[in-house]
Amino acid sequence: MEQFLQRENLDGVVRIRINRESALNAMTPEMLKDLRAMLGELEDDPNVRVIILAGQKRAFSVGADIKGRVAEYDTGTIKDPLGEIIRDLFAFIEDLTKPVIAALSGYVLGGGLELALAADVRMADTTAKLGFPEANVGSLPGAGGTQRLPRIVGPSRAMALMFTAERIDARQALAWGLVDRVVEEGTLDEESLNWAQLMAKKAPLSLAYIKKLVHLASNTDIETGMAFEASCHAILRNSKDREEGMRAFVEKRPPHFIGQ
Ligand code: CO8
């Protein structure tokens, strides 16, 4: 079976690169299953602190493999092989206890953009072109796009992007808050790794609870969110890493965090 994912271990950071350049990183069910399995391993590995999802120069990903789907019409067996896998994968990314960075270059379209939205933060280089072309092919962003995009950019910008299938560039995406940082072409690997390493030095439990709480913030009322924040804060107060962080500050040395 063809391997569409490359994994690099970079001192506490793992970069997973989608590697199907001939089809601009179009996603197949097998690719997504492999990604789910790989992320499961990384979640269980305490040495992995931050994950970067990256693509190729020409495309992060153009979304679902349309050619694979046309075959369903040819054979009259219209199924949804991608639906369950992709939704489960994107929910799993949100539930990971580790920060996930999407590093975007070239085309970031359809399911590719939905994958980027399921990540926690997004960095793009100046070649990135982001959009939802689903309405061109009689579909809609069905892997969380209609729900995650408006929570990030607001409903009217989200609808405008999906109604027109227009592609926006990295600067526009930055102005909308759809990406968090823009870097020059050719520097994305280095810059996203620098960003990841900043996070990888922090206390893992702090990052895990911050992620959980921030995701909760857009899905719950403020009283529930505040109560949950107080309980997570109480858990951290008794953690070994909190004591280590405070001692390290007083002793003027870098902390050594163990994720407990
Ligand atoms: N699927 C399969 N192959 C693709 C796809 C795709 N989505 N996009 C491009 N390719 C292939 C092309 O067929 C071509 O292959 P070949 O050389 O063998 O013909 C190769 O990639 C290069 O593409 P182009 O020659 O078209 O390159 P251009 O630079 O001219 O154009 C574009 C690039 C603009 C990206 C163009 O290829 C395009 O419009 N692609 C379609 C993008 C698209 O519509 N994506 C959305 C798909 S739907 C989706 O993602 C839904 C998500 C899943 C939801 C699940 C819910 C259940």
Side-chain angles (χ1 to χ4, degrees), residues 8 22 34 72 89 140 144 151 157-158 169 194 200 234 239 254 260:
E8 289 166 272
S22 60
D34 287 351
E72 294 170 21
L89 170 66
L140 58 76
R151 282 171 164 80
R157 284 171 174 164
D169 64 18
N194 290 341
S239 71
Q260 290 173 23

Side-chain angles (χ1 to χ4, degrees), residues 2-238:
E2 221 176 325
Q3 243 327 325
F4 292 138
L5 302 176
Q6 283 172 345
R7 170 178 164 169
E8 289 166 272
N9 296 324
L10 303 157
D11 195 20
V13 176
V14 170
R15 183 190 286 130
I16 301 176
R17 192 183 298 285
I18 308 174
N19 181 28
R20 195 189 175 206
E21 205 165 7
S22 60
L24 301 179
N25 283 351
M27 298 163 165
T28 64
E30 292 68 34
M31 178 198 286
L32 298 175
K33 280 187 205 160
D34 287 351
L35 182 54
R36 172 70 172 76
M38 204 177 263
L39 289 170
E41 280 172 32
L42 300 182
E43 175 70 354
D44 294 341
D45 183 345
N47 296 316
V48 176
R49 299 285 172 91
V50 180
I51 298 161
I52 301 175
L53 300 175
Q56 304 291 329
K57 202 170 165 205
R58 279 193 70 203
F60 174 71
S61 170
V62 290
D65 187 315
I66 295 175
K67 288 178 185 166
R69 308 202 106 184
V70 165
E72 294 170 21
Y73 287 99
D74 294 341
T75 54
T77 52
I78 301 171
K79 291 182 272 162
D80 184 16
L82 209 57
E84 206 175 315
I85 300 168
I86 203 166
R87 290 186 191 111
D88 169 68
L89 170 66
F90 292 178
F92 186 67
I93 291 173
E94 254 179 24
D95 286 345
L96 289 173
T97 58
K98 307 175 185 197
V100 179
I101 299 174
L104 310 174
S105 50
Y107 293 113
V108 187
L109 302 179
L113 181 49
E114 289 177 304
L115 173 60
L117 291 174
D120 302 312
V121 291
R122 287 155 286 281
M123 177 180 278
D125 77 12
T126 49
T127 68
K129 297 171 275 290
L130 301 87
F132 277 118
E134 278 82 348
N136 288 334
V137 292
S139 187
L140 58 76
T146 66
Q147 300 307 299
R148 291 193 179 100
L149 185 65
R151 282 171 164 80
I152 295 172
V153 304
S156 69
R157 284 171 174 164
M159 280 190 268
L161 202 65
M162 294 187 249
F163 284 166
T164 61
E166 276 177 344
R167 297 193 281 260
I168 59 170
D169 64 18
R171 305 264 173 225
Q172 181 71 71
L174 182 68
W176 284 10
L178 179 48
V179 302
D180 307 293
R181 292 193 179 189
V182 175
V183 299
E184 290 309 314
E185 182 177 357
T187 67
L188 185 61
D189 279 355
E190 187 191 341
E191 294 286 356
S192 56
L193 182 57
N194 290 341
W195 206 24
Q197 277 168 345
L198 275 182
M199 301 175 198
K201 291 195 186 94
K202 309 301 178 217
L205 286 180
S206 297
L207 303 191
Y209 282 114
I210 289 168
K211 174 166 173 169
K212 203 179 249 310
L213 286 162
V214 173
H215 280 304
L216 184 74
S218 50
N219 297 314
T220 194
D221 61 90
I222 187 130
E223 287 79 18
T224 311
M226 296 294 248
F228 197 56
E229 184 192 73
S231 1
C232 294
H233 189 252
I235 295 171
L236 287 191
R237 243 189 347 261
N238 294 316

